[in-house]
Amino acid sequence: MYFVSANIATQGGQVKGNSTLRGTMRMGIDVALGKLGYFTMTMDGAYTENKTPNGSSFSPASLIYNLNPYETKSGNQLWSYPNRTYADLMHQYQSNTTDKRGGASASVNLKPLEDLEISAVTGLDYLINEGTQLTPASSYAEQQSGFGPEALGRLNKDKNTLLNFSYNVRALYAKVLGNVHNLTLSLNHDYYLTSTDNLGITGYGVGNHASASLINQSLTGARKPAVSSFKEKVAQIGYGAVAGYTYDDTYDLFATYKLDGSSVLPSDKRWNSAWAVGLGWTPSEYGFLKNNRVLTRLNLKGSYGNTASLAGVSAAQTIATFSYLEDAYATARILQLLALYNRDLKPEHTTSIDAGVQAGFFDRLSLDLRWYRRQTADALLDVPIAASNGFSMMKRNIGVLRNDGIEAGISISLPDITPDWGLRFSTSVAYNKNKVIDLYYTDKLYTSDYSLIPDFQIGKPYDTLYGLRQTGINAVTGLPIFIGKDGREIVPGQTQLTRDDFITLGHLTPPYSGSFNLGVTWKNLELDADFYWVAGGIKQYNYTYVRNRDDVNYNALRGLTQTMWLREGDVNKIYYSPFYSSAAIETLQYANTSNTGSSNYLRLSMLSLRYRVPQKVLSSTRIIKYATAALQASNLFTLTPYSESDPETGTLGSAVQPVITLNLSLTF
C-alpha cells in the first residue's frame, strides 16, 4: 500500500506587504513481511517563504502608541516624529526568509513469537533556513546615519542548516495468564543527534539592492564587512525498561527506569537516570459494581517519579569552548571562550507526585479530579558573577522550586438525543501555585548587581510581579508619589530607591485557567466551539511617559501646549518646559499600584463547522470514497478588562491574531 499527499497555502497579513507561502508534500509505502511483520517508509518535504516590508525600528504596532490621532499618511511632517513623514516610517526595510525541509523515516515491526514484538524506527530531518534583510540606502534611517554615499545600504544574509537524526529500538513482551494476570515487559534503546551549521554576513554600501556582491569591502570601522559562523553537534543516548502488571482489570502496577547520556555534560557527569512507579485501582470492576447502570466507572491512580533535564544548557556552559572573534590584534586573531563554563553544573532533577480519581455515570457523564506536585532541585539559571572573570553571567544550579496544582474536569456525551441530533459538552478548571523552596547561596537572587527586584525569593512565587505603592500625584511636578519602606515618601529623582521599597503586586502568570467545549451534530453537519479563560494574573501597562523635551511629542504637546494661553495677555508667550532627571524617569518605569491591570480574559479559541458528504451521494460518483468540507476560525475574539493591549503578551506586536481556514478533503 502507498499514499501521496500535497498541500499548498498562501496567506496575507493585517499589515500591507506581509505574505506567507507554504507548500508540503508527503509520500509513503507499507510492505508486509509475510507473517513476520511489516515495513513502513515515508518521505516528506516542505517549503515556506515569508516576506515583510516592516522590521526596522518602527513597526506598525509601535506607531499605534506613538502617532497622534490627527496625523495622517499625507506628505505633511509628523508631530510625533519631527522632520519626518509617514512614508519615512513605513516600507524602509525588506525581509525575505525561506525554510526548506526534507525528511525520511522508516520503521519495521516484527513479531517472531506470539507474545513478543520487536520494533525499530529511524528518522532523518534536514532543514535549511535562508534569510535576506535589506535596509536600502534611500531609507530615512540610512540617509540620517551620517555616513557617505559609498557606505549606505545595509545587507544581512544568513544560511542556517539543522540536521536531526534519531533511532529507537524496542522489544515488548506481553502475556496474559489465566485471564486475570496481565504482564508487560519492555526494553528500549534510543539515540539522538543534532548538528547545527550557521553562517551569516553583514555588509554596507549595497545601495538599494539585496546583493552580497555589492558589499563595499573597503569600508573600515563600524561599517566594515563582518562574517559570523556557528557549528555544533549534540548527541544523546539512552537505555530504558518498563514493567507493568494488572490483576483482573482491577489492580495496576507499573515501574519505569531510564538511563541517559549527553555530550553536553562533562565526562564525569554525563550519565543521569530517571524513574517512576505507579499504582491504579478500579473498584468498578468488582462484581457488585460491574453491571451498575449509575456508577459505570470508578478509577483511582497515583504515581511517583524523578526526571533529569538539561533545558537551556549548551556545551559551552559546561566544557571549555573557544571561538575566534571578528576583530584582530595587528595580524593575530583573537580567540576567546564562548562562555564561562561550569564543570560542577548538574542537570536539574524534578520529583513528580500525581494522584487522581475518575468517575463515570450512566455512560454519559465523566468526572476527573487530579492533584500533582513538581519539585525541581538543582534548578538551572544564568546568575551574575564578578566582572573580574571576564564574563558577567554563568549558568549555575541555584536552588529548589515547587509547583502544586489541582485540575478538575466534567464531560457529557449525548450522541443520540434523536436519530439526527447529538451533543457533547466538556469543561475543565485548573489551579497552579509555585514557590521557591530554597536558594543555595542566598534568600533572594538577583540576576544583576544593580537589580532592585529579585528574580527568586525564598517563600515567594517565582512569577511574582514586584512594584511600588503609589499614593498620589505631586501637583507641582506632575510626578507620582510613592510610599516605600517604613512609610517613607519616595519622590522620583530625589529619593534613592532600595530593594526593600518594592512590594508584591500579584502573579504574572494567572494561577487559574480553564476551558469549555461545545459540540453539536445534526445529520452530517458538525459544529464545535472551544473557549479558553484565565484568571488571577496581573500585567504592567506599557505606558510612555511625557516628562522631558525628548518625549513631549508623544502626546501632541509639542507645538500645542508650548504656546497655550494660561491667563489673559499670554499672546506669543512661550512657557518653559521643565526637565526631569534620568533618575526620575527611571523610577516611573517600574510597575506600581496604578500602572498595572488584571490580565484575565475569555477567548473563543476555535470555532469550526464541518460537513461530511453522505455516502449515498459519493457512491454515485464511483471515484470518491470519502469527502468533507470544513470552515475553521481561531481566536475570533477576546473579552478582557486589560484595557491597553493583548492580555496574554502585554504588547500589541505579539497579540494573537484571528485565523480563518477553509479545508476540503477527498479520499479516492
Side-chain angles (χ1 to χ4, degrees):
M1 185 179 74
Y2 64 90
F3 68 88
V4 178
S5 64
N7 176 68
I8 187 169
T10 181
Q11 179 180 344
Q14 290 188 327
V15 178
K16 184 179 180 181
N18 288 347
S19 66
T20 299
L21 174 66
R22 297 186 182 91
T24 61
M25 176 172 285
R26 189 167 181 262
M27 61 184 68
I29 184 171
D30 292 336
V31 178
L33 303 176
K35 297 181 179 180
L36 189 61
Y38 61 90
F39 171 80
T40 301
M41 183 174 182
T42 62
M43 299 180 66
D44 61 88
Y47 176 83
T48 302
E49 182 178 24
N50 293 289
K51 294 182 179 180
T52 179
N54 303 293
S56 62
S57 56
F58 301 101
S59 69
S62 68
L63 297 182
I64 296 174
Y65 283 110
N66 300 335
L67 290 179
N68 293 297
Y70 57 82
E71 295 178 313
T72 66
K73 297 180 180 179
S74 64
N76 298 327
Q77 291 187 8
L78 301 171
W79 283 108
S80 300
Y81 294 93
N83 302 319
R84 303 178 70 172
T85 67
Y86 183 82
D88 293 331
L89 303 178
M90 302 295 292
H91 304 284
Q92 303 290 297
Y93 175 84
Q94 300 173 25
S95 174
N96 190 333
T97 60
T98 61
D99 289 329
K100 308 178 187 72
R101 185 178 63 84
S105 64
S107 64
V108 59
N109 293 79
L110 305 176
K111 201 166 185 179
L113 302 175
E114 181 180 357
D115 303 316
L116 177 64
E117 180 180 335
I118 300 175
S119 59
V121 60
T122 184
L124 178 69
D125 284 303
Y126 189 68
L127 173 66
I128 301 177
N129 172 273
E130 295 180 280
T132 301
Q133 296 84 38
L134 171 69
T135 304
S138 58
S139 69
Y140 184 89
E142 287 294 285
Q143 290 293 318
Q144 300 298 314
S145 66
F147 292 96
E150 74 285 352
L152 296 184
R154 169 175 175 155
L155 178 69
N156 295 89
K157 290 183 70 71
D158 55 84
K159 182 176 182 180
N160 306 318
T161 62
L162 178 66
L163 172 68
N164 288 315
F165 170 74
S166 65
Y167 70 81
N168 182 284
V169 180
R170 186 187 66 168
L172 174 65
Y173 178 79
K175 183 73 173 180
V176 178
L177 303 172
N179 294 324
V180 294
H181 303 281
N182 193 327
L183 178 65
T184 302
L185 298 173
S186 177
L187 299 174
N188 78 285
H189 163 57
D190 55 73
Y191 176 81
Y192 301 91
L193 172 67
T194 299
S195 178
T196 305
D197 191 356
N198 299 340
L199 178 66
I201 60 173
T202 300
Y204 297 84
V206 298
N208 295 331
H209 303 283
S211 174
S213 62
L214 297 177
I215 292 176
N216 189 340
Q217 300 188 43
S218 67
L219 297 176
T220 59
R223 294 215 157 191
K224 69 177 182 180
V227 178
S228 62
S229 65
F230 176 78
K231 193 170 185 178
E232 182 183 59
K233 285 186 179 181
V234 176
Q236 178 176 310
I237 191 170
Y239 303 91
V242 177
Y245 172 74
T246 300
Y247 175 73
D248 201 21
D249 294 327
T250 306
Y251 305 98
D252 298 286
L253 171 66
F254 81 87
T256 178
Y257 179 82
K258 185 74 184 302
L259 182 65
D260 289 306
S262 173
S263 64
V264 169
L265 291 172
S267 57
D268 58 332
K269 298 180 178 66
R270 187 153 292 170
W271 291 93
N272 290 276
S273 61
W275 56 268
V277 293
L279 295 170
W281 178 36
T282 310
S284 57
E285 291 295 324
Y286 289 144
F288 67 93
L289 286 176
K290 199 163 189 177
N291 296 318
N292 191 302
R293 295 184 179 181
V294 178
L295 182 62
T296 52
R297 178 169 175 79
L298 179 62
N299 175 259
L300 295 89
K301 55 188 176 182
S303 65
Y304 181 83
N306 186 282
T307 60
S309 173
L310 284 169
V313 177
S314 65
Q317 294 169 325
T318 63
I319 304 170
T321 306
F322 293 87
S323 173
Y324 281 109
L325 295 181
E326 296 175 1
D327 297 324
Y329 180 76
T331 58
R333 299 289 303 278
I334 300 178
L335 189 67
Q336 74 166 16
L337 281 170
L338 283 179
L340 186 60
Y341 62 97
N342 182 1
R343 291 194 61 85
D344 295 326
L345 203 66
K346 298 181 290 186
E348 57 184 23
H349 290 267
T350 300
T351 301
S352 302
I353 307 174
D354 287 82
V357 58
Q358 182 186 58
F361 300 90
F362 307 104
D363 281 332
R364 293 290 185 269
L365 175 65
S366 178
L367 305 177
D368 289 277
L369 182 65
R370 175 175 171 249
W371 170 86
Y372 63 86
R373 168 170 289 180
R374 307 280 185 267
Q375 183 157 308
T376 301
D378 298 322
L380 294 164
L381 185 72
D382 290 314
V383 298
I385 56 176
S388 58
N389 291 288
F391 295 87
S392 59
M393 308 292 288
M394 184 173 70
K395 185 79 74 176
R396 298 180 72 174
N397 299 103
I398 57 120
V400 180
L401 312 177
R402 177 183 292 173
N403 262 292
D404 289 320
I406 298 177
E407 298 176 354
I410 301 174
S411 63
I412 300 173
S413 179
L414 302 172
D416 51 2
I417 298 177
T418 70
D420 292 334
W421 287 90
L423 176 68
R424 301 184 312 277
F425 175 79
S426 64
T427 182
S428 66
V429 60
Y431 170 73
N432 178 273
K433 67 175 182 178
N434 59 72
K435 185 169 66 173
V436 179
I437 302 300
D438 184 28
L439 295 173
Y440 296 156
Y441 311 102
T442 180
D443 62 337
K444 295 181 181 179
L445 183 63
Y446 299 84
T447 54
S448 168
D449 292 336
Y450 307 102
S451 296
L452 296 176
I453 298 174
D455 288 84
F456 295 95
Q457 181 177 350
I458 293 178
K460 293 282 189 179
Y462 45 83
D463 62 350
T464 297
L465 177 64
Y466 294 92
L468 300 170
R469 181 185 291 111
Q470 181 179 336
T471 60
I473 300 292
N474 187 308
V476 177
T477 65
L479 294 173
I481 300 173
F482 303 105
I483 297 297
K485 180 186 179 183
D486 301 327
R488 69 190 181 101
E489 182 178 300
I490 298 174
V491 180
Q494 300 180 25
T495 307
Q496 183 70 35
L497 286 173
T498 68
R499 290 176 172 178
D500 293 331
D501 292 327
F502 289 84
I503 62 173
T504 299
L505 299 178
H507 294 271
L508 285 169
T509 304
Y512 299 94
S513 63
S515 65
F516 53 93
N517 167 268
L518 177 65
V520 179
T521 60
W522 178 70
K523 294 185 178 180
N524 293 320
L525 195 64
E526 297 182 15
L527 175 66
D528 281 280
D530 291 330
F531 294 84
Y532 180 74
W533 60 268
V534 300
I538 191 171
K539 283 190 182 297
Q540 180 181 359
Y541 291 128
N542 189 21
Y543 289 140
T544 298
Y545 290 95
V546 180
R547 299 298 178 193
N548 56 32
R549 294 180 185 274
D550 295 332
D551 292 332
V552 294
N553 57 283
Y554 286 123
N555 288 64
L557 296 182
R558 178 172 293 173
L560 298 178
T561 59
Q562 196 174 37
T563 56
M564 181 179 291
W565 293 7
L566 300 182
R567 58 177 63 92
E568 292 185 18
D570 280 353
V571 180
N572 297 324
K573 183 175 181 179
I574 298 178
Y575 284 87
Y576 168 70
S577 177
F579 172 78
Y580 298 102
S581 67
S582 59
I585 304 301
E586 182 181 358
T587 303
L588 301 178
Q589 308 309 313
Y590 291 107
N592 61 62
T593 51
S594 67
N595 70 355
T596 53
S598 168
S599 60
N600 300 348
Y601 67 85
L602 170 66
R603 175 172 292 151
L604 177 57
S605 54
M606 191 274 291
L607 182 68
S608 71
L609 183 65
R610 186 173 66 171
Y611 177 73
R612 295 193 304 271
V613 180
Q615 288 298 321
K616 63 180 180 180
V617 175
L618 297 177
S619 61
S620 62
T621 66
R622 298 183 181 181
I623 299 176
I624 304 175
K625 295 182 179 180
Y626 185 79
T628 61
L631 177 65
Q632 179 173 306
S634 303
N635 307 313
L636 284 182
F637 70 81
T638 301
L639 302 178
T640 177
Y642 192 75
S643 57
E644 189 195 47
S645 56
D646 182 72
E648 196 168 15
T649 63
T651 64
L652 284 172
S654 301
V656 177
Q657 303 295 333
V659 177
I660 299 176
T661 305
L662 179 63
N663 176 267
L664 177 64
S665 177
L666 302 174
T667 302
F668 299 93

